[in-house]
Amino acid sequence: MGAIVHRPGRDFGFGLLALAVLGLVAPWIGLYPVFVMKALCFAMFACAFNLLLGFTGLLSFGHAAFFATAGYAAGHAIKVWGWPMEAGLGFAVLCSGLLGLAIGALAIRRQGIYFAMVTLALAQMVFFVFLQAKFTGGEDGLQGIPRGRLLGALDLADDLNLYYAVLAIFLACLALCYRIVHSPYGQVLKAIRENEPRALSLGYRVDRYKLLAFVLSASLAGLAGGCKALVVGFETLTDAAWQMSGEVVLMTLVGGVGTLFGPVIGAFAIVGLQDQLADRVGSWVQVILGLTFIVCVLGFRRGIAGEVAAWRERRRATSR
Amino acid sequence: MASPSDDIILETRALTRAFKGFVAVSEVNLRVRRGHIHALIGPNGAGKTTMFNLLTKFLIPTSGQIFYEGTDITRERPAEVARRGIIRSFQISAVFPHLSVRENVRIGLQRRLGTSFHFWRSERSLECLDEQADELLDAVGLLEFAGETTVNLPYGRKRALEIATTLALDPALMLLDEPTQGMGHEDVSRVTELIRRVSKNRTVLMVEHNMGVVAGLCDAITVLQRGQVLSEGSYETVAADQRVIEAYMGSTETTLAGAHG
């Protein structure tokens, strides 16, 4: 056993493969594709958020702004301008990325709780803009977003077709997260997270690295938001509200912050709970989510994936 | 004012930093000669670490100027100063605890590749630095720990690793903040030897409490007390200075040589 070297790349490969297989068979074992698609979109959202919280050490409390901006951007481009679905999604990512650049540039000047407050405040301003602006439909939301065709051929109005498209996007998003974390850039991020003054004293312009992380995170949150708007066919203010920013924190923490698969697990857990409970207990679902969160924070701080990883680490240590 | 002569690598003019209520560094004129190992000593609270933070821009001076290679760097930011070749260490060991020992050194080497923003590239592209990293680790006697997670290293070895990471940037001027603090006797002599070795072709400015280390190692000494320069010169000059003896021992009866350890 002692000779076996721990390889994160191989572990991630297995995990990704397992998710791909699970994803491929999910519609055939009785899971409702629209539900899984929604969960996949939130999983992407949580992964994007985790890039910032888990791998950069920045707690943003305004990620709903990027999620919703992308939803409106994709919806508007596809519905009003008649853009193909791919261009609409690209536009959505671009918009949320640019918004990320603007908000990030302001927020990274502050640290800790102040950083979180600045992101929250700016996200609330974005919410207000969406509430007032014409193109969002205000309180009514942007309704009837057509799904279009993939590459002009595959009709995405068919749930199963869209499902596989979203699954592919999700897997690519996860792979990109892995690449970012395990890149030369990811190494510097890790160094900054571990000891920021030291990274600074070695000549790294720390703020620029943080800003890039913020923009990457916002862009991926945008990809998630754009996909979600396509899946459900509408975009509303719910996605821009501060509760959405809170929900993504919850998903990430429950799943395991700073792990690659944790946010995916967390997103499925939370979306699954909401989906299962909404019909049965009504608004009690919020109370149950709150309790889940408390149990998670008190009982298993590392989150589901984090606890599993720690358990494997212990086993590896004892088998040496 | 005359421009600093060529063999002065770092100079401060009337450098002052006031905090609320007291002046930590007051009107300090420091001149560090190229190639020297220059020590900054003084009792606790003399302003040594504040000096370091001012020199590396972690603190902004209240007044006064800092010149590096004749250029005014008073208004520059920490990363810019580092890019000019002034690399500092910290009082508490500045390592990246959850990176491996080799990765720590690689962080120092990596900036040179110019791929530090490349988030789409595999981290395997950094393996071309491993050979160089291992040479540096070998130089500080850490090669056998290259794959170890840094947090598991004993304190003395972390300090050695810190020096290896600093060396990775090939700095013209190294600032070491109490490099032997908290070390056992064996580690102290190892790190002292290490500093002597790495000071070839570069300048070292170090804060040090241990007079034994300073005596054998340093070419020049500046003694600070309450933010001001009390005495300056070679070890012999400084050690014979009555004011220094008084500041250190609280009396004039003993000589500074007794202040070892």
Side-chain angles (χ1 to χ4, degrees), chain A residues 7-10 176 178-210 212 216, chain B residues 58 78-80 82-83 86-90 93-99 103 106-108 110-111 115-123 125-126 162-163 165-166 169:
Chain A
R7 289 195 208 94
R10 213 185 43 180
L176 178 61
Y178 174 81
R179 168 51 76 233
I180 293 171
V181 171
H182 294 278
S183 69
Y185 170 68
Q187 278 281 309
V188 180
L189 270 192
K190 202 169 171 189
I192 291 173
R193 198 177 70 231
E194 296 247 303
N195 193 337
E196 185 172 329
R198 180 55 169 168
L200 199 61
S201 80
L202 292 176
Y204 289 102
R205 295 177 175 118
V206 167
D207 281 356
R208 296 189 191 181
Y209 290 87
K210 286 184 181 172
L212 178 57
L216 287 171
Chain B
F58 278 72
E80 270 63 56
R83 281 156 182 258
I86 307 178
I87 308 292
R88 72 172 291 178
S89 74
F90 292 81
S93 81
V95 291
F96 304 111
H98 296 101
L99 263 54
E103 283 172 332
R106 247 173 30 183
I107 292 289
Q110 190 186 330
R111 217 185 67 216
T115 61
S116 291
F117 281 105
H118 292 193
F119 59 83
W120 57 88
R121 223 180 255 267
S122 167
E123 63 188 349
S125 67
L126 298 174
E162 195 184 333
I163 292 177
T165 308
T166 305
L169 289 142

Side-chain angles (χ1 to χ4, degrees), chain B residues 57-71:
Chain B
K57 320 315 299 173
F58 278 72
L59 280 175
I60 296 162
T62 311
S63 63
Q65 286 170 298
I66 305 167
F67 293 88
Y68 175 70
E69 302 275 21
T71 314

Side-chain angles (χ1 to χ4, degrees), chain B residues 70-83:
Chain B
T71 314
D72 188 342
I73 59 163
T74 317
R75 301 276 154 237
E76 283 185 11
R77 306 211 294 181
E80 270 63 56
V81 173
R83 281 156 182 258

